[in-house]
Amino acid sequence: MQGNRVIQTRLEGVLLYCVIGLVVFAAVFPVFWMVLTSFRPVVLTLSATPVLLFKPELTHYEYLFSYASNMQYYIANSVIIATCTTILSVGIGSLAGYSLSRFRFRGRNDISFWILSTRMMPPIAIVLPLFILWGQLGLYDTQLGVIIAHTTFNLPFAVFSLGGFFREIPEELDEAAMTDGLSRLGAFVKVVLPVAIPGVIATALLCFILSWNEFMFALILTGMNARTATVATTEFLPASGRETMWGEASAAGTLVMAPVLVFALLLRKYL
């Protein structure tokens, strides 16, 4: 009887790992195939028979950084927009999250819920009003306009996330720091913030990823000047009778994906 239970447990374990393996394969294979396609020679890109062994070429990447494409300019836009959005979201969000975690006042829970509820709003519900407003304010197709738009959906997440980290830090640290002569702001900057640095880094990384990957705002609120790398990848899709440029599209997708993976690997201990 005991032997049957052991066999059943092992079979369940094997079945579980098989299911996990299938899920991981389904998630990773498209990414693997995209990266592989980005290094394929042009002749093999549209081959009816999949070819796994070939001599890698950088032809598609060379096209991206040639005069025919402005991918380097779009990547620079993405870096500037994502970095500025992250700084604003974490900077303002840390102050708001700290205030909500420390001060007791009427309606605090309602304010916290309202901030979080703005993150739940579908982006499509506000992108059209923003498009009209940005046009009137001269913010359309500017980096500043996209930064402000991205901050609108990153800031509630930053407030919610950082507020949770600050609530885990004992208030006695603040009181001890203020007893030693520091102001409330000084206690926050010199004592609380260093303790919460893992949470700050994790929040900053996620804010950067959310801004870097964002597509809808960047598509509708920009033309050519402030276009981001994620939007630029659509240039290689069928348009005006042109065939899909699979190699260039795969190379562009790989370039857009690479920074996020690198940052996540470097900062994984903070997650």
Side-chain angles (χ1 to χ4, degrees):
M1 190 69 177
Q2 186 68 26
N4 292 335
R5 288 182 179 178
V6 172
I7 294 174
Q8 182 180 358
T9 302
R10 290 180 178 178
L11 288 176
E12 290 176 352
V14 171
L15 180 61
L16 176 62
Y17 280 112
C18 288
V19 173
I20 293 175
L22 289 174
V23 172
V24 172
F25 176 80
V28 173
F29 182 77
V31 178
F32 165 76
W33 196 257
M34 179 183 70
V35 176
L36 202 66
T37 303
S38 70
F39 291 102
R40 274 200 181 96
V42 179
V43 180
L44 299 179
T45 303
L46 299 177
S47 174
T49 304
V51 179
L52 295 177
L53 299 178
F54 55 86
K55 183 180 180 180
E57 293 184 359
L58 299 176
T59 307
H60 305 305
Y61 291 94
E62 292 172 355
Y63 176 85
L64 292 182
F65 293 98
S66 66
Y67 289 107
S69 174
N70 292 320
M71 182 56 71
Q72 65 270 28
Y73 179 74
Y74 301 140
I75 290 176
N77 279 341
S78 289
V79 171
I80 294 172
I81 290 170
T83 301
C84 292
T85 299
T86 301
I87 293 173
L88 284 174
S89 299
V90 174
I92 301 173
S94 61
L95 294 173
Y98 177 76
S99 299
L100 292 172
S101 68
R102 288 296 189 267
F103 298 114
R104 306 290 188 271
F105 55 88
R106 185 176 180 181
R108 184 184 66 163
N109 293 333
D110 295 332
I111 293 176
S112 299
F113 178 77
W114 174 77
I115 292 174
L116 182 60
S117 67
T118 59
R119 184 66 181 87
M120 304 174 188
M121 183 181 298
I124 192 63
I126 61 173
V127 69
L128 182 57
L130 280 181
F131 174 78
I132 298 173
L133 182 61
W134 265 214
Q136 295 174 345
L137 296 177
L139 293 174
Y140 175 75
D141 200 19
T142 64
Q143 293 177 348
L144 178 60
V146 183
I147 290 169
I148 296 174
H150 283 190
T151 303
T152 59
F153 65 80
N154 264 337
L155 185 56
F157 166 74
V159 174
F160 176 76
S161 176
L162 291 170
F165 285 109
F166 292 138
R167 278 190 290 272
E168 295 178 358
I169 299 175
E171 295 187 26
E172 287 75 13
L173 287 177
D174 310 48
E175 297 171 357
M178 289 187 289
T179 301
D180 291 338
L182 291 177
S183 64
R184 171 69 74 171
L185 181 61
F188 167 69
V189 173
K190 296 183 178 181
V191 177
V192 178
L193 201 57
V195 176
I197 199 65
V200 173
I201 293 177
T203 302
L205 174 60
L206 293 174
C207 286
F208 185 90
I209 292 174
L210 288 172
S211 178
W212 181 274
N213 289 340
E214 199 281 323
F215 182 82
M216 182 178 296
F217 285 118
L219 174 65
I220 297 177
L221 299 180
T222 65
M224 294 297 295
N225 295 326
R227 178 171 293 181
T228 61
T230 52
V231 177
T233 56
T234 61
E235 292 183 358
F236 308 105
L237 300 179
S240 302
R242 186 185 66 186
E243 293 184 357
T244 301
M245 304 171 68
W246 291 110
E248 288 75 10
S250 298
T254 302
L255 286 176
V256 171
M257 177 184 63
V260 174
L261 291 179
V262 171
F263 279 125
L265 288 174
L266 292 177
L267 301 176
R268 64 186 182 278
K269 65 178 181 180
Y270 295 107
L271 298 177

